[in-house]
């Protein structure tokens, strides 16, 4: 592994080692593994970080089975990983001409396990999967981690990093809709990494993961927006579909945008009119924005039970994808604009949004997490804790600011504008989960 130094825009530097397989190049892009070491490997020699785990990815047998670049930076002695610096470093690695950008993997142990949770939570879109080993993370990042494939590991006898740190992250991500795997080694103390990185099943799982490629619109695309009354109103002047159309007109005049929203619709209603209203127009992209009425109508006994919501949503997106269209799945947004947790249906909305995240993750769909975005935006904008009037007219339907807000989110997820830094999102942690596997 050859020695290099990364120079950040801020002037900060990061020493690292890289292994490049002989076959890698612009004509044969390969996966990349970004490996973050623990506290004991800190230093300035640009070598100690190779002590644990890295070697399992660069053996002759491993490279013969799964050729990949392996990059191992080194954190200075007496410091913790600088996640801002790691973000810039990871983004630069993904731009290498020999890297398969849809197969960039993140892993780390102990201090590096913490950094894996933190970095993945900040920039989940950079990675195809993450493997944090005996670490812990920020619970409020759980929503952003919900669509990233994760397999976490910890020893239940770890006295250095308590196993509760992994358990609480697993619980929080699952509560947010994530479908991550978790292995807890019975009787194992802090060294849970030797067993993890030597396990062929871990390598097999990791290299099977692929990032969901971003949707990029091209002239000639036909985009259908499929939903309820919020979408029905969006085609009017100033509505979010109208705003998207106005913004795209100069750059992509050949893109056709079609609104197919019907007031009061729930997931079963979309399923009933899918063929007639959507598939019949032969869309290339379908944006599904549904879930508000499935929750809201429960107040009068006409909502959609959560199991039926999930099964119906899975079938709906399956049928759209089977027809050849790319799918953007949106979570439901808000029913009331007061502080998160204080509106009557917030808890139920969070549960249904978690279902949408889970469906998007398991079906490898592009997700637009409007629930998380609205909560974060209202935290900043709704300083008077008003029930309505900030982004909605009535706590649900969008006003001018809300339409512009959703339009900007749609433009971003459709690849029409650069993605901003992720906003902080709400996600609570439940009690430590019972672990999946004892080994």
């Amino acid at each position: 592994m050859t020695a290099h130094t990364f120079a950040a825009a801020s002037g900060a530097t990061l020493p690292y080692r890289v292994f490049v397989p002989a076959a890698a190049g612009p004509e044969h892009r390969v996966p990349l593994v970004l490996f973050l070491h623990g506290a004991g490997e800190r230093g300035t020699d640009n070598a100690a970080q190779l002590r644990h785990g890295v070697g399992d990815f660069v053996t002759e047998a491993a490279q013969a089975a799964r050729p990949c670049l392996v990059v191992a930076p080194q954190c200075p002695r007496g410091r913790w990983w600088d996640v801002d610096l790691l973000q810039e470093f990871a983004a630069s690695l993904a731009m290498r001409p020999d890297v398969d950008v849809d197969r960039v993997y993140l892993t780390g142990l102990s201090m590096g396990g913490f950094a894996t949770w933190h970095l993945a939570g900040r920039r989940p879109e950079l990675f195809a999967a993450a493997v944090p080993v005996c670490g812990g993370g920020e619970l409020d990042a759980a929503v952003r981690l919900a669509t990233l494939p994760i397999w976490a590991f910890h020893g239940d006898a770890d006295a250095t990093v308590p196993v509760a740190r992994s358990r609480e992250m697993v619980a929080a991500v699952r509560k947010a809709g994530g479908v991550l795997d978790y292995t807890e080694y019975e009787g194992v103390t802090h060294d849970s990494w030797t067993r993890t990185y030597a396990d062929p099943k871990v390598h097999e799982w990791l290299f099977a993961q692929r990032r969901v490629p971003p949707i990029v619109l091209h002239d000639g695309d036909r985009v259908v927006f499929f939903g309820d009354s919020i979408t029905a109103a969006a085609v009017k002047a100033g509505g979010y579909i109208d705003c998207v159309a106005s913004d795209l007109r100069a750059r992509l005049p050949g893109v056709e945008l079609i609104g197919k929203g019907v007031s009061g619709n729930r997931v079963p209603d979309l399923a009933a009119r899918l063929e007639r209203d959507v598939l019949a127009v032969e869309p290339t992209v379908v944006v599904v924005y549904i879930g508000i009425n499935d929750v809201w109508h429960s107040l009068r006994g006409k909502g959609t039970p959560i199991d039926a919501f999930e099964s119906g949503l899975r079938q709906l997106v399956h049928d759209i994808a089977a027809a050849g269209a790319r799918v953007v799945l949106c979570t439901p947004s808000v029913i009331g604009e007061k502080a998160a947790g204080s509106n009557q249906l917030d808890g139920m909305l969070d549960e249904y949004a978690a279902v949408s995240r889970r469906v998007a993750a398991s079906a490898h769909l592009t997700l637009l997490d409007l629930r998380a975005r609205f909560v974060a935006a209202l935290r900043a904008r709704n300083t008077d804790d008003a029930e309505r009037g900030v982004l909605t007219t009535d706590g649900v339907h969008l006003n001018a600011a809300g339409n512009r807000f959703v339009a900007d989110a749609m433009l971003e997820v459709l690849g029409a504008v650069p993605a901003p830094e992720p906003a902080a999102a709400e996600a609570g942690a439940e009690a430590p989960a019972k672990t999946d596997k004892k080994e």
Side-chain angles (χ1 to χ4, degrees):
M1 297 184 73
T2 56
H4 302 269
T5 299
F6 171 71
S10 64
T13 59
L14 184 66
Y16 67 97
R17 293 270 179 167
V18 60
F19 175 87
V20 182
E27 302 303 318
H28 183 63
R29 296 172 181 255
V30 297
L32 181 144
V33 176
L34 176 56
F35 191 100
L36 305 178
H37 64 76
E41 293 76 62
R42 291 176 291 186
T44 57
D45 63 355
N46 200 4
Q49 73 268 34
L50 308 181
R51 189 175 299 151
H52 301 299
V54 177
D56 292 293
F57 290 96
V58 299
T59 64
E60 185 176 349
Q63 285 290 322
R66 301 176 186 90
C68 64
L69 277 87
V70 182
V71 177
Q74 186 178 38
C75 181
R77 187 175 291 108
R79 295 173 59 183
W80 291 87
W81 285 111
D82 182 337
V83 178
D84 291 331
L85 180 58
L86 286 175
Q87 285 184 78
E88 188 175 345
F89 181 52
S92 72
L93 292 173
M95 296 175 64
R96 286 179 58 118
D98 51 1
V99 168
D100 181 348
V101 71
D102 294 326
R103 300 182 69 196
V104 176
Y105 307 119
L106 175 64
T107 188
L109 61 93
S110 193
M111 184 182 79
F114 279 87
T116 296
W117 283 114
H118 291 317
L119 178 56
R122 295 267 194 96
R123 296 293 302 274
E125 76 281 359
L126 288 176
F127 305 104
V131 178
V133 181
C134 58
E138 300 165 319
L139 297 182
D140 64 359
V143 167
R144 299 191 295 278
L145 290 163
T147 56
L148 179 68
I150 298 171
W151 192 353
F153 294 83
H154 217 122
D156 70 356
D158 192 335
T160 303
V161 178
V163 68
R165 297 306 305 270
S166 283
R167 290 178 180 175
E168 66 185 7
M169 285 303 300
V170 169
V173 174
R174 284 181 174 160
K175 184 176 181 180
V179 288
L180 79 175
D181 293 313
Y182 177 50
T183 294
E184 192 170 290
Y185 298 123
E186 186 173 10
V188 171
T189 56
H190 191 45
D191 180 6
S192 48
W193 53 82
T194 298
R195 193 167 172 177
T196 297
Y197 293 123
D199 188 345
K201 292 180 181 178
V202 175
H203 292 253
E204 182 180 355
W205 176 87
L206 183 64
F207 285 91
Q209 309 308 313
R210 299 188 70 89
R211 186 183 68 145
V212 178
I215 288 179
V216 179
L217 291 183
H218 302 283
D219 266 344
D221 272 325
R222 182 178 292 116
V223 184
V224 171
F225 295 85
F226 196 28
D228 52 30
S229 57
I230 297 173
T231 299
V235 298
K236 299 177 181 178
Y240 77 79
I241 297 175
D242 178 65
C243 292
V244 170
S246 297
D247 286 4
L248 289 180
R249 195 165 291 126
R251 288 173 287 162
L252 296 169
V255 171
E256 182 180 2
L257 306 182
I258 303 171
K260 290 291 182 179
V262 174
S263 181
N265 267 200
R266 301 167 298 127
V267 161
D269 303 304
L270 295 195
R273 62 186 182 89
L274 174 63
E275 181 65 42
R276 179 186 72 248
D277 284 0
V278 177
L279 302 186
V281 303
E282 299 182 347
T284 58
V285 178
V286 178
V287 180
V288 179
Y289 179 7
I290 199 66
I292 291 293
N293 293 317
D294 299 88
V295 173
W296 202 10
H297 289 185
S298 66
L299 294 176
R300 45 194 176 92
K302 295 184 178 181
T304 307
I306 196 162
D307 290 347
F309 177 77
E310 180 162 356
S311 60
L313 195 59
R314 286 187 184 280
Q315 188 63 52
L316 184 71
V317 298
H318 172 273
D319 292 345
I320 295 170
R326 294 167 287 168
V327 181
V328 175
L329 181 58
C330 304
T331 63
S333 48
V334 290
I335 303 174
E337 295 191 69
K338 295 175 72 65
S342 60
N343 301 285
Q344 182 181 5
L345 293 172
D346 275 353
M348 194 173 179
L349 265 178
D350 287 337
E351 292 175 356
Y352 281 60
V355 167
S356 297
R357 296 184 195 111
R358 185 161 61 244
V359 170
S362 60
H364 302 288
L365 305 178
T366 298
L367 177 76
L368 176 50
D369 199 334
L370 289 174
R371 177 70 184 155
R373 287 172 183 257
F374 268 75
V375 166
L378 289 169
R379 187 189 304 115
R381 301 185 190 193
N382 192 6
T383 54
D384 295 329
D385 201 28
E387 184 176 351
R388 65 190 70 185
V390 181
L391 295 174
T392 75
T393 58
D394 57 0
V396 173
H397 298 92
L398 304 176
N399 61 17
N403 274 295
R404 183 67 258 176
F405 180 75
V406 172
D408 289 341
M410 292 286 181
L411 287 163
E412 177 191 320
V413 82
L414 293 172
V417 295
E421 287 297 313
E426 292 288 326
E430 52 194 15
K434 184 178 181 180
T435 56
D436 303 321
K437 306 170 187 175
K438 285 277 188 178
E439 298 188 357

